[in-house]
Amino acid sequence: MFLPTADTASGAPPGTPCWVDLATLDTSMACEFYGALFNWEFHSKNDPVGGDGRYIIALRDNVQVAGLYHPSAGNPTGWSLHLRVAGAVNTVQWVEHLGGSVRLGPLEIPERGVLLHVTDPSGAPVVLWQPPSGWIFGAHLPGMFCGADLNTYDGSAADEFYSKLFGYTSEQIGGDGIDYAEWRIGYERVLYRCVMDEHSEPASPHWLVYFEVDPDVGTDALAETAHKLGGGVLVEPYDTTFGRTALLTDPGGAPFAVIDHSRPVDLGVGRAEVDDPHDD
């Protein structure tokens, strides 16, 4: 779904991406890296989610774009996607009825609404969030969130869970043997789901978060900058029908993707937005 620059997340339809955050063991390093890469600025607030009692809000052009925090002992690191729900407490029963499991919550946090950390039936973690009234989430401009792929080995389980939970419709758009589906709310594109190759290097089911590239910078230059800042390039920049894309990691090893939507390339009918990075 193409969100405006400063979307009021609390008013978006259930199932809409409404926030992203990074759990990292070194928040100072992460702030330095993403600040230089995306021109983010940061401010910190007290928050029980952080293992150190802090939660850091990233801003781009004075608009909230992401969160960063130090996870409590034993909790995973990396980028997390938040999907809006109208009522987190009632959602617990639906998640369990549809075959998912609750890892944490519902957890009410002052000024941040109610969070519910779950694992979907395909094995991927996701955060279901009832944001507070007026919560702002900047998206779809340079340095901001612009999409996410669910990478899993059980596409059918994922399609069934999210379509029943949020009313998504699913359309297969993959080509060249790639099982790649587009999820929509009404006529609006919301998210994508990709089935990973079981015969390649194994990876746990996960969400891959995308950030928009400034066309004046370009994906190639941004990937080079990420490398110079101590990050990594898992997949070198390449062309897709949606734009020029690259798969990167930050210095802590957290993967994320970047895409310049101003540079789409016609690769033929049925080509997926993302080539399978696990396909050798």
Side-chain angles (χ1 to χ4, degrees):
M1 180 174 288
F2 293 99
L3 306 174
T5 305
D7 180 70
T8 304
S10 56
T16 302
C18 58
W19 193 241
V20 289
D21 60 18
L22 174 69
T24 175
L25 299 178
D26 192 335
T27 54
S28 296
M29 174 201 65
C31 288
E32 183 176 352
F33 174 80
Y34 289 102
L37 191 67
F38 292 136
N39 293 323
W40 288 355
E41 297 179 344
F42 305 91
H43 71 82
S44 177
K45 56 171 49 179
N46 296 329
D47 195 305
V49 168
D52 57 1
R54 297 187 309 135
Y55 191 83
I56 301 170
I57 301 290
L59 302 99
R60 165 93 182 215
D61 300 327
N62 294 318
V63 176
Q64 296 184 146
V65 295
L68 300 89
Y69 67 97
H70 189 291
S72 302
N75 287 320
T77 60
W79 282 101
S80 294
L81 177 70
H82 294 48
L83 301 178
R84 183 186 176 273
V85 295
V89 174
N90 293 334
T91 303
V92 171
Q93 294 181 336
W94 276 104
V95 168
E96 295 176 339
H97 175 71
L98 295 172
S101 60
V102 176
R103 296 183 290 118
L104 175 68
L107 179 64
E108 186 170 356
I109 300 175
E111 300 180 4
R112 282 217 298 126
V114 186
L115 296 169
L116 185 63
H117 290 244
V118 310
T119 300
D120 69 32
S122 78
V126 65
V127 181
L128 306 180
W129 186 32
Q130 181 184 342
S133 178
W135 182 266
I136 299 298
F137 178 37
H140 292 286
L141 284 181
M144 300 182 183
F145 169 85
C146 64
D149 288 344
L150 172 59
N151 291 276
T152 181
Y153 297 104
D154 194 340
S156 297
D159 291 345
E160 182 176 8
F161 176 77
Y162 289 98
S163 64
K164 289 184 176 179
L165 187 63
F166 294 123
Y168 294 161
T169 57
S170 178
E171 180 182 352
Q172 183 61 228
I173 61 171
D176 300 330
I178 298 176
D179 185 349
Y180 190 69
E182 180 179 82
W183 290 344
R184 298 187 177 198
I185 296 177
Y187 295 103
E188 298 287 346
R189 292 174 288 180
V190 182
L191 295 164
Y192 295 86
R193 187 271 298 147
C194 183
V195 173
M196 296 184 288
D197 184 356
E198 295 181 350
H199 302 291
S200 60
E201 183 177 350
S204 299
H206 63 279
W207 286 94
L208 178 65
V209 173
Y210 284 73
F211 295 99
E212 187 69 34
V213 175
D214 186 338
D216 292 335
V217 175
T219 301
D220 295 72
L222 192 73
E224 183 177 349
T225 298
H227 179 69
K228 290 180 179 178
L229 292 171
V233 180
L234 292 180
V235 179
E236 295 285 347
Y238 63 99
D239 293 321
T240 77
T241 57
F242 290 81
R244 190 154 176 82
T245 306
L247 179 57
L248 311 176
T249 61
D250 66 23
F256 64 99
V258 295
I259 183 168
D260 178 359
H261 279 103
S262 74
R263 291 195 49 191
V265 175
D266 185 2
L267 299 173
V269 177
R271 185 67 178 229
E273 176 173 356
V274 180
D275 290 331
D276 185 354
H278 307 284
D279 185 5
D280 295 331

